[in-house]
Amino acid sequence: ANYRQISKILVNPNNGNEILVCTTAGVYRSADAGASFTQTVAGSFKDMEFKPGDPNIVYVAGTEFYRSTDNGQTFTKITSAFAAAANLSRMAIAVSPANPSIVYVLSAKVASDYGFEGLYKSTNSGASFTKVTVSTPSNILGWASAGNDTGGQGWYDLGFAASPTDANEITAGGVNIWQSIDGGQNFSLNAHWTASGAPYVHADCHDLIYRDGSTIYAGCDGGIFTTTNGGNSWD
């Protein structure tokens, strides 16, 4: 039997027969609405996104980042700027239709730390990346409200999203939720697992989705939380 974990499914908005599935045993593609699938790249992956407005360009990441320009039929590994795969436990991807050429990648360290490793940014649709110098705080994946501790649970909880109306606004979730409005140079605490210094949101954020420029949904161990004012309050 084949055992694999599926973490993301994408359907081509221009052709519903074309489906991409991101798994721990590679990326699988169907051209016949799921009747059959073919593995198009091997590896263990946790996140996948289309370039906004252009589903021919696909980004997928696990501990390495790959890019496709033919709707997932073939992929090329992008190595510029990224830490070695052996030093990473997981990556997450964020894109924004406000600037489709920008791609962000958030990475967590490998065991036994699992804290924040780095933030990477592309301005050419994932063809190359540079590492963002994050001035504050030092660890957006830990437990502390000041972001000054070490470690985290990046292997388990790693949500990441960009605002659809402002490509400089990105929100990252681990134990807590942090937000940047300057492209990742600085982050502010947006929600905290014990409501210390920010509104309460249950620990362990697995997914973040923007509905618009102010409404964000957070999928956590404790349920789904919503903010309609960018994170000033959560319900």
Side-chain angles (χ1 to χ4, degrees), residues 149-190:
D149 57 352
T150 60
Q153 299 177 168
W155 65 275
Y156 176 66
D157 44 36
L158 196 65
F160 194 36
S163 166
T165 59
D166 182 357
N168 286 315
E169 180 179 312
I170 51 179
T171 303
V175 178
N176 303 308
I177 297 176
W178 294 80
Q179 189 175 88
S180 171
I181 58 173
D182 59 9
Q185 297 177 65
N186 298 277
F187 282 85
S188 298
L189 186 65
N190 194 267

Coordinates of all heavy atoms in Angstrom, one line a residue, residues 149-190:
D149 N 12.4 34.4 22.5 CA 12.8 33.1 23.0 C 13.4 32.3 21.9 O 13.7 32.8 20.8 CB 11.6 32.3 23.6 CG 10.4 32.2 22.6 OD1 10.5 32.8 21.5 OD2 9.5 31.4 22.9
T150 N 13.7 31.0 22.1 CA 14.2 30.2 21.1 C 13.3 29.0 20.9 O 12.5 28.6 21.8 CB 15.6 29.7 21.4 OG1 15.6 28.9 22.6 CG2 16.6 30.8 21.5
G151 N 13.4 28.3 19.8 CA 12.6 27.1 19.5 C 11.2 27.4 19.1 O 10.8 28.6 18.8
G152 N 10.4 26.4 18.9 CA 9.0 26.5 18.4 C 8.5 25.1 18.0 O 9.1 24.1 18.4
Q153 N 7.5 25.2 17.2 CA 6.8 23.9 16.8 C 6.6 24.0 15.2 O 5.6 23.6 14.7 CB 5.5 23.7 17.5 CG 5.7 23.6 19.0 CD 4.4 23.4 19.7 OE1 4.3 23.1 20.9 NE2 3.2 23.7 19.1
G154 N 7.6 24.5 14.5 CA 7.5 24.7 13.1 C 7.3 23.5 12.3 O 6.8 23.5 11.2
W155 N 7.7 22.3 12.9 CA 7.4 21.1 12.2 C 5.9 20.8 12.2 O 5.4 20.1 11.3 CB 8.1 19.9 12.9 CG 7.6 19.7 14.3 CD1 7.9 20.3 15.4 CD2 6.5 18.8 14.6 NE1 7.2 19.8 16.5 CE2 6.3 18.9 16.1 CE3 5.7 17.8 14.0 CZ2 5.4 18.1 16.8 CZ3 4.8 17.1 14.6 CH2 4.6 17.2 16.0
Y156 N 5.2 21.3 13.1 CA 3.8 21.0 13.3 C 2.8 22.1 12.9 O 1.8 21.9 12.3 CB 3.6 20.7 14.8 CG 2.1 20.4 15.2 CD1 1.5 19.3 14.8 CD2 1.5 21.2 16.1 CE1 0.2 19.0 15.1 CE2 0.2 21.0 16.5 CZ -0.5 19.8 16.0 OH -1.8 19.6 16.4
D157 N 3.1 23.4 13.3 CA 2.2 24.5 13.0 C 3.0 25.6 12.3 O 4.0 26.1 12.7 CB 1.6 25.1 14.3 CG 2.7 25.2 15.5 OD1 3.8 25.6 15.2 OD2 2.3 25.0 16.6
L158 N 2.5 25.9 11.1 CA 3.2 26.9 10.2 C 2.2 27.4 9.2 O 2.1 26.9 8.1 CB 4.4 26.3 9.5 CG 5.4 27.3 8.9 CD1 6.0 28.2 10.1 CD2 6.5 26.7 8.1
G159 N 1.5 28.5 9.6 CA 0.5 29.1 8.7 C 1.2 30.4 8.2 O 2.0 31.1 8.8
F160 N 0.8 30.7 6.9 CA 1.5 31.9 6.3 C 0.6 32.4 5.2 O 0.1 31.6 4.4 CB 2.9 31.4 5.7 CG 3.8 32.5 5.3 CD1 3.9 33.7 6.1 CD2 4.7 32.4 4.3 CE1 4.7 34.7 5.7 CE2 5.5 33.4 3.9 CZ 5.6 34.6 4.6
A161 N 0.4 33.7 5.1 CA -0.4 34.3 4.0 C 0.0 35.8 3.8 O 0.5 36.4 4.7 CB -1.9 34.2 4.4
A162 N -0.3 36.3 2.6 CA -0.1 37.6 2.3 C -1.5 38.3 2.0 O -2.4 37.7 1.4 CB 0.8 37.8 1.1
S163 N -1.6 39.6 2.3 CA -2.8 40.3 2.0 C -3.1 40.4 0.5 O -2.1 40.6 -0.2 CB -2.7 41.7 2.6 OG -3.7 42.5 2.1
P164 N -4.3 40.2 0.1 CA -4.6 40.3 -1.3 C -4.6 41.7 -1.8 O -4.7 42.0 -3.0 CB -6.0 39.7 -1.4 CG -6.6 39.9 -0.1 CD -5.5 39.8 0.9
T165 N -4.6 42.7 -0.9 CA -4.7 44.1 -1.3 C -3.4 44.9 -1.0 O -3.2 46.0 -1.5 CB -5.8 44.8 -0.5 OG1 -5.6 44.7 0.9 CG2 -7.1 44.2 -0.9
D166 N -2.4 44.2 -0.3 CA -1.1 44.9 0.0 C -0.1 43.8 0.1 O 0.0 43.1 1.1 CB -1.3 45.6 1.3 CG 0.0 46.4 1.7 OD1 1.0 46.3 1.0 OD2 0.0 47.1 2.7
A167 N 0.8 43.7 -0.9 CA 1.8 42.7 -0.9 C 2.9 42.8 0.1 O 3.6 41.9 0.4 CB 2.5 42.6 -2.3
N168 N 2.9 44.0 0.8 CA 3.9 44.2 1.9 C 3.3 43.7 3.2 O 4.1 43.6 4.2 CB 4.2 45.7 2.0 CG 5.1 46.2 0.9 OD1 6.1 45.5 0.6 ND2 4.8 47.3 0.4
E169 N 2.1 43.3 3.3 CA 1.5 42.8 4.5 C 1.5 41.3 4.5 O 0.8 40.7 3.7 CB 0.1 43.3 4.7 CG -0.6 42.8 6.0 CD -2.0 43.3 6.2 OE1 -2.2 44.5 6.1 OE2 -2.9 42.5 6.5
I170 N 2.2 40.7 5.4 CA 2.2 39.2 5.5 C 2.0 38.8 7.0 O 2.4 39.5 7.9 CB 3.6 38.6 5.0 CG1 4.8 39.3 5.7 CG2 3.7 38.7 3.5 CD1 6.1 38.8 5.3
T171 N 1.3 37.7 7.1 CA 0.9 37.2 8.5 C 1.4 35.8 8.6 O 1.2 35.0 7.7 CB -0.6 37.3 8.6 OG1 -1.1 38.6 8.4 CG2 -1.0 36.8 10.0
A172 N 2.1 35.5 9.7 CA 2.7 34.2 10.0 C 2.1 33.7 11.3 O 2.0 34.4 12.3 CB 4.2 34.4 10.1
G173 N 1.8 32.4 11.3 CA 1.3 31.7 12.4 C 2.1 30.5 12.8 O 2.5 29.7 12.0
G174 N 2.4 30.4 14.1 CA 3.1 29.3 14.7 C 2.3 29.0 16.0 O 1.1 28.7 16.0
V175 N 3.0 29.1 17.1 CA 2.3 29.0 18.4 C 1.4 30.3 18.5 O 0.2 30.2 18.9 CB 3.3 29.0 19.6 CG1 2.5 29.0 20.9 CG2 4.1 27.7 19.5
N176 N 1.9 31.4 18.1 CA 1.2 32.7 18.1 C 1.1 33.2 16.6 O 1.6 32.5 15.7 CB 2.0 33.7 18.9 CG 2.2 33.3 20.3 OD1 1.2 32.9 21.0 ND2 3.4 33.3 20.8
I177 N 0.5 34.4 16.4 CA 0.3 35.0 15.1 C 1.1 36.3 15.1 O 0.9 37.1 16.0 CB -1.1 35.1 14.7 CG1 -1.8 33.8 14.6 CG2 -1.3 35.9 13.4 CD1 -3.3 33.8 14.4
W178 N 1.9 36.5 14.1 CA 2.6 37.8 13.9 C 2.3 38.4 12.6 O 2.0 37.6 11.6 CB 4.1 37.5 14.0 CG 4.6 37.0 15.4 CD1 4.5 35.8 15.9 CD2 5.2 37.8 16.4 NE1 5.0 35.7 17.2 CE2 5.5 37.0 17.5 CE3 5.6 39.2 16.5 CZ2 6.1 37.5 18.7 CZ3 6.2 39.6 17.6 CH2 6.4 38.8 18.7
Q179 N 2.4 39.7 12.5 CA 2.1 40.4 11.2 C 3.2 41.4 10.9 O 3.6 42.1 11.8 CB 0.7 41.0 11.3 CG 0.2 41.5 9.9 CD -1.2 42.0 10.0 OE1 -1.4 43.2 10.3 NE2 -2.2 41.2 9.7
S180 N 3.5 41.5 9.6 CA 4.4 42.5 9.1 C 3.7 43.4 8.1 O 2.9 42.8 7.3 CB 5.7 41.9 8.5 OG 6.5 42.9 7.8
I181 N 3.9 44.7 8.1 CA 3.4 45.6 7.1 C 4.4 46.2 6.2 O 4.2 47.1 5.4 CB 2.5 46.7 7.7 CG1 3.3 47.5 8.7 CG2 1.3 46.0 8.4 CD1 2.5 48.7 9.2
D182 N 5.7 45.7 6.4 CA 6.8 46.2 5.6 C 7.6 45.1 4.8 O 8.8 45.2 4.7 CB 7.7 47.1 6.4 CG 8.3 46.3 7.6 OD1 8.2 45.1 7.7 OD2 9.0 47.0 8.5
G183 N 6.9 44.1 4.4 CA 7.5 43.1 3.6 C 8.4 42.1 4.4 O 9.2 41.5 3.9
G184 N 8.2 42.1 5.8 CA 8.9 41.1 6.6 C 10.1 41.7 7.3 O 10.8 40.9 8.0
Q185 N 10.4 43.0 7.2 CA 11.5 43.5 7.9 C 11.2 43.6 9.4 O 12.2 43.4 10.2 CB 11.9 44.9 7.3 CG 12.3 44.9 5.9 CD 12.6 46.3 5.4 OE1 13.5 47.0 5.8 NE2 11.8 46.7 4.4
N186 N 10.0 43.9 9.8 CA 9.6 43.9 11.2 C 8.2 43.2 11.3 O 7.4 43.4 10.5 CB 9.5 45.4 11.6 CG 10.8 46.1 11.6 OD1 11.6 46.0 12.5 ND2 11.0 46.9 10.5
F187 N 8.1 42.5 12.4 CA 6.8 41.9 12.7 C 6.3 42.4 14.1 O 7.1 42.6 15.0 CB 7.0 40.3 12.8 CG 7.1 39.7 11.5 CD1 8.3 39.6 10.8 CD2 6.0 39.1 10.9 CE1 8.4 38.9 9.6 CE2 6.0 38.5 9.7 CZ 7.2 38.4 9.0
S188 N 5.0 42.5 14.2 CA 4.3 42.8 15.4 C 3.4 41.6 15.9 O 2.8 41.0 15.0 CB 3.4 44.1 15.3 OG 4.2 45.2 14.9
L189 N 3.3 41.5 17.2 CA 2.4 40.4 17.7 C 1.0 40.7 17.3 O 0.5 41.8 17.7 CB 2.6 40.3 19.2 CG 1.9 39.1 19.9 CD1 2.5 37.8 19.4 CD2 2.1 39.2 21.4
N190 N 0.3 39.7 16.7 CA -1.1 39.9 16.2 C -2.1 39.2 17.1 O -3.2 39.6 17.3 CB -1.1 39.5 14.8 CG -2.4 39.9 14.1 OD1 -3.4 39.2 14.1 ND2 -2.4 41.1 13.5

